[in-house]
Amino acid sequence: MTRLFGGIEAGGTKFVCAVGSGPDDLRAESRLATTSPAETIGRAIEFFQAQRDKLGPLAAVGIASFGPIDPAPGSPTFGQITSTPKPGWANTDFGGAVGRALGVPIGFDTDVNVAALGEWRWGAGRGVENLVYLTIGTGIGGGGLVNGKLMHGLVHPEMGHIRIPHDWKLDPYAGHCPFHGDCFEGLASGPAMAKRWKRPAEKLPADHPAWALEAHYLALALVNLICTLSPERIILGGGVISNDRLLPMVRAGVQQLLNNYVQSPALLVSIDEYIVAPGLGNRSGVLGAIALAEQCS
Amino acid sequence: MTRLFGGIEAGGTKFVCAVGSGPDDLRAESRLATTSPAETIGRAIEFFQAQRDKLGPLAAVGIASFGPIDPAPGSPTFGQITSTPKPGWANTDFGGAVGRALGVPIGFDTDVNVAALGEWRWGAGRGVENLVYLTIGTGIGGGGLVNGKLMHGLVHPEMGHIRIPHDWKLDPYAGHCPFHGDCFEGLASGPAMAKRWKRPAEKLPADHPAWALEAHYLALALVNLICTLSPERIILGGGVISNDRLLPMVRAGVQQLLNNYVQSPALLVSIDEYIVAPGLGNRSGVLGAIALAEQCS
């Protein structure tokens, strides 16, 4: 009999909850607005309890959470959202609450790590052991696998906050990161584009110079990720990437910046299969949460 | 009976070969000038054959090699130095030659990954599973462990070639990397310091402004490594680091640039134990090669 898992993609504005065993077997799904922790987590638990009564027991629940979080099993604060600025959510024992209510093992990780896991399990990351998933939207975040295991470390990666070169003559916009000004997220997130160009990214015409600048910042950041992690594939998700002309410009920018230094056919020849869009579209997170549940059950 | 291992730290100017089982049990050591592959590798093999006759069999040999190399066991070119610009050494089957001559398993990895392993096994990296080792000297290179395993991926990390912000008004030096100009290595290696300030780094007085600029570049790079990998410790080795005043400036720079964004006591409180000098001094490489042999035997 197929084992069933629960998955939660917990974002700052909405929660997506699902029950199933994979992309071709999603039995139920629900979207909830993110309000207070008690209400939102409570409604997610009710959803899983109702589905369990209808579909049968869940083997585990995986949670892809906005952060910062503590994703370290064994840590006294494992499963918690820690120092988030989101009102009411700091120090919320999210994983603990779900685990106690449902009596199942809980997988708990960052939204981007879980999306990386989903892409690795069923999407554009299949077949590689070293993978980066980067999302460029309201914020910029990255996660991934090294040697087939999700990256954690001291806390968890915060790839959106790396520093990249910023040519102030070319781009006088100071950046909007409240912590770092012109870090990668400060220069290249959706809100940075909107503030720089005085309209939302999705309203910028496809041939607007905004996109060449955006591709340049993305290429700089990807070069840094390539030189640091040597991933076998990079998956770019998030709202800003939905412009179809962006990915080819990013690939060309990466090749130009690397300047043949890294002698790998993946970069020199088949970069179209190296820097790619998510294979699961906007379902990487919720399916990744199911994959995370599968891993921890 | 203690098992004995061989280790080779293979640099572009010299090879260090050793036999033993750890830092307190090094039975023999030899230094060879790096000339042609046939001669240099041949003399290394002769050293191990002579020691084997004297001390007993070797369980394995670990090699820490200059690069680029192929460190992927199972790859058809595993054990080879690949596209190095060093005359005569490109496509040298280094690991294969040593393994065939001595009839033992071979561990083969980058000099920096092996140094990271040595520090993890016996030095300043003990007790953590996520570690970066960065050397700043003639070049800049980095390696490390994620989840307790050495990082490889597509090829291997090339951390010296990340791009960092370069304020041309503050520092008009264009950088000396033949591939990337003002990448991290182009701005902050020993030769970059020498060219910028018209004298070798070791001749610059300890209070020269060169060191504040160097600390700034190192801090920028470390922030990027922290945001990408979330290491639990960073070890800085190499000739440029031997100025005692540099490390405290780098730590302060990292804290200033992160601006309390990463909420970890390791960064906020005990950064003196987070960014550290090698515990094995200049022996990280050769002892790491012994640790690598130990792992592959």
Side-chain angles (χ1 to χ4, degrees), chain A:
Chain A
M1 198 180 117
T2 308
R3 291 194 307 162
L4 285 183
F5 304 98
I8 305 176
E9 183 185 4
T13 57
K14 70 169 193 292
F15 274 36
V16 182
C17 304
V19 172
S21 66
D24 303 323
D25 177 38
L26 278 185
R27 315 271 180 100
E29 188 167 326
S30 173
R31 285 161 186 260
L32 318 168
T34 308
T35 58
S36 71
E39 182 180 36
T40 319
I41 296 171
R43 288 183 60 199
I45 290 168
E46 285 165 19
F47 166 79
F48 289 116
Q49 285 168 332
Q51 296 307 321
R52 182 178 62 186
D53 293 346
K54 196 156 39 170
L55 301 167
L58 304 178
V61 172
I63 301 174
S65 181
F66 70 92
I69 65 162
D70 183 348
S75 154
T77 51
F78 169 69
Q80 295 192 17
I81 297 177
T82 54
S83 57
T84 182
K86 192 170 171 64
W89 284 83
N91 308 311
T92 293
D93 185 13
F94 187 177
V98 175
R100 281 189 299 272
L102 298 173
V104 294
I106 295 295
F108 191 78
D109 217 316
T110 62
D111 42 10
V112 280
N113 254 358
V114 174
L117 187 71
E119 289 291 327
W120 177 78
R121 180 71 176 85
W122 291 301
R126 276 177 294 180
V128 301
E129 298 287 283
N130 300 278
L131 175 71
V132 167
Y133 176 92
L134 201 64
T135 178
I136 298 99
T138 310
I140 295 183
L145 294 92
V146 172
N147 294 319
K149 302 276 176 202
L150 288 172
M151 300 170 64
H152 293 122
L154 185 65
V155 187
H156 48 69
E158 288 284 358
M159 299 182 192
H161 295 271
I162 61 171
R163 298 311 217 280
I164 54 175
H166 173 197
D167 181 341
W168 288 77
K169 265 186 261 174
L170 186 76
D171 173 24
Y173 177 61
H176 86 112
C177 174
F179 290 91
H180 314 122
D182 63 347
C183 67
F184 178 30
E185 176 173 295
L187 290 171
S189 64
M193 294 189 78
K195 279 179 198 153
R196 181 187 293 112
W197 303 106
K198 319 273 185 248
R199 62 189 130 158
E202 64 272 22
K203 296 257 168 84
L204 290 162
D207 58 352
H208 192 283
W211 296 108
L213 184 66
E214 179 70 9
H216 176 63
Y217 288 139
L218 289 174
L220 282 166
L222 262 53
V223 161
N224 284 3
L225 299 179
I226 291 166
C227 288
T228 304
L229 283 163
S230 200
E232 293 166 275
R233 200 163 297 147
I234 297 177
I235 299 171
L236 295 184
V240 169
I241 297 297
S242 49
N243 176 345
D244 286 346
R245 295 170 66 159
L246 193 57
L247 232 50
M249 288 194 287
V250 172
R251 293 181 187 122
V254 165
Q255 287 184 322
Q256 195 187 357
L257 286 165
L258 282 176
N259 194 22
N260 300 325
Y261 181 72
V262 180
Q263 290 282 325
S264 165
L267 290 161
L268 302 174
V269 183
S270 48
I271 197 165
D272 291 2
E273 290 126 59
Y274 182 77
I275 299 170
V276 297
L280 304 174
N282 61 5
R283 318 280 294 151
S284 322
V286 69
L287 286 166
I290 297 221
L292 186 65
E294 186 182 54
Q295 282 202 343
C296 79
S297 70

